[in-house]
Amino acid sequence: MKIVPVPCLDDNYAYLIIDEASGEGAVVDPVEPQKLVQLAEEHGCNLKLVLTTHHHWDHAGGNEEIKKLVPGIKVYGGAKDHVKGCTIAVEHGDEIILGGTVTIKALHTPCHTKGHISYFVTSTSGDDPAVFTGDTLFIAGCGRFFEGSAEQMYESLCKTLASLPKLTQIYCGHEYTVKNLQFALTIEPENERIKQKLLWAEQKRKENKFTVPSTIQDELDSNPFMRVDLPELKDRIGHNSAVHVIGEIRKMKDGWKG
Ligand code: ZN
Ligand code: FE
């Protein structure tokens, strides 16, 4: 399978996923539908479906228009999320097939929104798996807790997503990496992996390149929100409950001016 990140609006990412065997494609959060449809054409790709991570405008806002541009395209979204233009509601564990070789599994990862879905994608052609995490998991960060609790974000990040294979490639909903790593350093000033990754990310952005994908392993090493079970994070916040720690770090980030 081939995955193409498509920068949209100011700092959003949409994605094109192509099953090369059949030429069939899917798009993730196509907020600028024309751009995605044109890109699919350039790749000789036949768009079959839309995967919506959550109901916010900067993710679901292109769904109605893409249905007009690509008649018959199926639009998936979380059953609890009231996604605009959704034609097929998915729940945790539901599977979607793309072409002959790609399987997409819906993972319910609530908190940013109630029905937020991450899409875990595997291919029989031997590529590493990938996960599209919308505004739940960012590179070195996570989304704001708009419709859920610290408990839910802990489950979403540290159970559901953390249990995916370590090499899973992470494609998130926004390019927030540099800011997130700067904040991460305020939580863990001694973490060498965060320091290195910040230098790397700053260089990438200077060259106008993407900082996606990351991997689950990389996030376990450098994303404070996925590290809340570690003694060093609990000591830093001064609390023994990982759920409490993730809530505190989120509050610190909300108030952080950078
Ligand atoms: Zn959002
Ligand atoms: Fe967003």
Side-chain angles (χ1 to χ4, degrees), residues 189-253:
E190 308 300 325
N191 185 322
E192 286 302 324
R193 185 66 197 114
I194 297 177
K195 288 185 203 171
Q196 283 168 13
K197 193 155 183 183
L198 177 56
L199 292 175
W200 169 87
E202 284 172 339
Q203 187 58 35
K204 283 272 175 187
R205 295 310 294 149
K206 241 183 250 163
E207 295 166 11
N208 220 357
K209 290 182 179 152
F210 317 134
T211 62
V212 287
S214 183
T215 62
I216 295 292
Q217 183 62 60
D218 218 22
E219 294 311 301
L220 292 172
D221 292 340
S222 58
N223 187 329
F225 297 94
M226 288 187 84
R227 295 168 55 75
V228 293
D229 276 302
L230 297 171
E232 48 264 48
L233 273 283
K234 290 180 173 175
D235 288 350
R236 171 75 170 87
I237 303 300
H239 206 283
N240 205 22
S241 144
V243 170
H244 184 91
V245 172
I246 202 170
E248 283 304 308
I249 297 179
R250 184 63 252 182
K251 270 186 221 155
M252 289 162 80
K253 177 82 201 294

Side-chain angles (χ1 to χ4, degrees), residues 12 53-59 112-113 116 134-136 138 143 146 174:
N12 277 75
T53 60
H54 65 296
H55 70 81
H56 288 158
W57 171 86
D58 60 316
H59 301 264
H112 180 70
T113 67
H116 191 294
D135 288 0
T136 292
F138 295 128
F146 284 131
H174 290 269

Side-chain angles (χ1 to χ4, degrees), residues 19 35 41 48 53 63 73-74 77 96 112 123 138 187 206 212 226 251:
D19 169 50
K35 218 187 231 184
E41 269 168 29
K48 291 288 180 187
T53 60
N63 285 356
I73 196 166
K74 291 175 181 164
I96 303 159
H112 180 70
S123 145
F138 295 128
I187 304 292
K206 241 183 250 163
V212 287
M226 288 187 84
K251 270 186 221 155

